[in-house]
Amino acid sequence: MDLSDKHIVLGLSGGIACYKSADLCRALVKLGATVQVVMTAAAGQFITPVTMQALSGRTVYGSQWDPREHNNMPHINLAREADAILIAPCSADFMVKLAQGGADDLLSLMCLARPMARVPLLLAPAMNREMWAHPATQRNLRQLQLDGATILGVGHGDQACGETGDGRMLEPTELALDMVAFFQPKCMLGRHVLVTAGPTYEAIDPVRGITNLSSGKMGYAVARAAREAGAQVTLVSGPVALDAPRGVTRISVRSAREMHTATLAQAPSADFFIATAAVADWRVANSAEHKIKKDGSGQMPQLQFAENPDILADVAQSERARSGALFCVGFAAESQDLLANAQAKRQRKGVPLLVGNIGPATFGQDDNALLLVTADGVEEFPRDSKLALARRLIMRSAELALSLESTGASHA
Ligand code: CTP
């Protein structure tokens, strides 16, 4: 559970989005966090403390005069226990209060009294689109960022008032994912990570094609982990049944040649290229424009094949990759002799890191086991969830890239 050792103070200020805070509280608890709810009086107009108490399993705080605290200082005690304070919803009015250092109720008082170096403050604004776009709100937002708050952004869509635009509170699942990401180490901050994922599909005719069993789960986990680590992530994906990870730019492609074109267009701005896609080595050279019909002869039509471009090898041979400016990671899905195949493949593709896994044992599964092969040796990542492995791989790739940069060593 991604938040299992975290204690989060969930603050609610007044807004209709308070109804979503119940789900958010539940989502954070499900991820393992302990959640202490603090509500303003205005929030109490939209949702009751009883609901929030039942979902968090803790009595809710609302007053700075709460007699439950032996020293009568809930603003000090609550802020010091927290690993993070998340205000969701954060109303326009509460943003004003925070920006000005106001402290006339428990929630604002607690935010002002938080130890800034140790307890981060995250805000999920929620308001009408005109209020959100107003220069005063945007000014307060900038001030809050300057003061060290993390703004989680707003959603776009239908609003409770009947208007449509920016200003909705992000959905509880999105905010929960943002909290998980927030606590991950930022080992790729500001880097551009390019990932290929999933299978490719090579058409035989307009209704049939050749593909493989890759589900894309490992590549999508890598993209998510890179994003969590602070990178800007571009995911070039073959056809899969997965949602794009939060905050990741997805480019959907079908064939190996489409994947090749999309990837090579992104590579010049990338710092890391992680090729997890199961790319078809061959395409049908004589694919038909119209559906191939049986001709009554009992003979299967003869398919001819042409070799597809090798995306990883092409990127790895680029000037930037050879100079170490672009760190390339290959994957090898093998069915046997993992170590020997992975070592040979690393040399053949000319990449500093090749990650081996047993394809049939992992396709479609939520877990995997990895073997990392570099010029210096071999490292095993034992069986774990694909997300946990992806996070370790991202961390390891960042370390290896850094050591290559500092030694200026040739990678392959
Ligand atoms: N790859 C690629 N483009 C291709 C084929 C493979 O980018 N046309 C990448 C994969 O994404 C993976 C690595 O190369 O990172 C190894 O893929 P794999 O299919 O295991 O290797 P092949 O080069 O196809 O070798 P073989 O089929 O002989 O095992």
Side-chain angles (χ1 to χ4, degrees):
M1 290 204 289
D2 285 328
L3 296 176
S4 55
D5 53 349
K6 301 295 180 234
H7 180 66
I8 295 169
V9 170
L10 175 60
L12 278 64
S13 59
I16 184 58
C18 279
Y19 82 92
K20 293 189 193 172
S21 306
D23 251 354
L24 172 59
C25 178
R26 201 172 163 73
L28 296 173
V29 169
K30 266 192 175 169
L31 286 164
T34 50
V35 178
Q36 175 61 61
V37 176
V38 179
M39 291 170 61
T40 64
Q45 295 289 325
F46 293 92
I47 190 167
T48 69
V50 175
T51 300
M52 299 309 293
Q53 177 178 348
L55 294 174
S56 64
R58 288 167 170 252
T59 54
V60 171
Y61 281 77
S63 164
Q64 65 266 45
W65 314 119
D66 197 312
R68 280 173 294 178
E69 296 294 302
H70 57 274
N71 58 357
N72 209 278
M73 294 185 196
H75 62 297
I76 301 289
N77 305 344
L78 295 174
R80 273 144 191 76
E81 285 162 10
D83 289 302
I85 299 172
L86 167 63
I87 312 291
C90 185
S91 67
D93 185 53
F94 199 73
M95 280 172 55
V96 174
K97 210 180 260 190
L98 289 175
Q100 294 184 350
D104 64 352
D105 66 347
L106 175 60
L107 190 56
S108 55
L109 181 59
M110 183 193 70
C111 290
L112 194 66
R114 85 184 208 278
M116 283 187 61
R118 193 169 57 75
V119 182
L121 175 64
L122 297 97
L123 308 178
M127 65 200 73
N128 164 270
R129 66 191 176 105
E130 300 289 0
M131 292 165 69
W132 174 251
H134 197 285
T137 302
Q138 293 300 315
R139 191 167 59 237
N140 291 329
L141 201 69
R142 283 192 297 278
Q143 186 58 55
L144 287 164
Q145 277 169 323
L146 286 173
D147 290 349
T150 298
I151 314 291
L152 296 176
V154 292
H156 177 91
D158 293 343
Q159 302 201 306
C161 53
E163 298 181 357
T164 303
D166 289 337
R168 285 168 58 96
M169 188 169 91
L170 293 173
E171 296 306 315
T173 46
E174 295 174 319
L175 288 173
L177 286 173
D178 285 349
M179 289 306 288
V180 170
F182 180 79
F183 287 112
Q184 293 302 317
K186 300 291 174 251
C187 59
M188 286 201 175
L189 196 62
R191 300 305 195 101
H192 180 198
V193 178
L194 177 61
V195 181
T196 61
T200 59
Y201 177 93
E202 307 298 327
I204 295 172
D205 67 19
V207 297
R208 305 181 183 92
I210 299 172
T211 186
N212 60 63
L213 288 174
S214 168
S215 65
K217 285 181 179 175
M218 191 67 225
Y220 274 56
V222 167
R224 174 178 167 179
R227 178 71 191 135
E228 287 177 342
Q232 174 213 333
V233 183
T234 307
L235 173 62
V236 181
S237 173
V240 296
L242 299 171
D243 291 331
R246 184 153 166 69
V248 165
T249 304
R250 175 166 62 180
I251 301 172
S252 295
V253 296
R254 215 159 79 129
S255 67
R257 283 193 295 177
E258 283 172 19
M259 187 174 274
H260 184 260
T261 304
T263 305
L264 267 75
Q266 293 292 325
S269 66
D271 301 301
F272 291 83
F273 174 49
I274 307 180
T276 74
V279 186
D281 292 327
W282 304 93
R283 67 178 176 277
V284 180
N286 57 341
S287 62
E289 191 185 341
H290 296 289
K291 185 180 174 191
I292 301 170
K293 298 287 197 183
K294 289 197 290 281
D295 63 5
S297 69
Q299 296 293 308
M300 208 178 86
Q302 288 300 306
L303 297 181
Q304 282 144 27
F305 291 93
E307 196 169 357
N308 274 326
D310 190 320
I311 305 165
L312 177 59
D314 284 356
V315 174
Q317 277 157 25
S318 69
E319 185 49 43
R320 292 187 66 245
R322 292 164 73 88
S323 72
L326 169 59
F327 187 85
C328 292
V329 182
F331 265 67
E334 305 293 345
S335 61
Q336 59 175 353
D337 297 336
L338 187 54
L339 177 60
N341 278 317
Q343 283 172 326
K345 204 164 276 187
R346 194 189 76 80
Q347 298 275 3
R348 186 151 45 83
K349 302 269 181 177
V351 293
L353 173 59
L354 198 294
V355 182
N357 59 167
I358 297 291
T362 184
F363 281 157
Q365 306 293 315
D366 289 324
D367 60 2
N368 197 358
L370 304 179
L371 192 69
L372 276 63
V373 180
T374 64
D376 294 331
V378 175
E379 191 179 347
E380 259 182 78
F381 286 2
R383 190 156 284 280
D384 206 337
S385 74
K386 286 183 175 174
L387 182 57
L389 292 171
R391 286 176 179 150
R392 286 188 69 182
L393 177 62
I394 287 295
M395 181 69 85
R396 200 73 195 93
S397 301
E399 287 165 1
L400 286 168
L402 207 63
S403 73
L404 280 186
E405 261 171 39
S406 61
T407 57
S410 158
H411 60 259

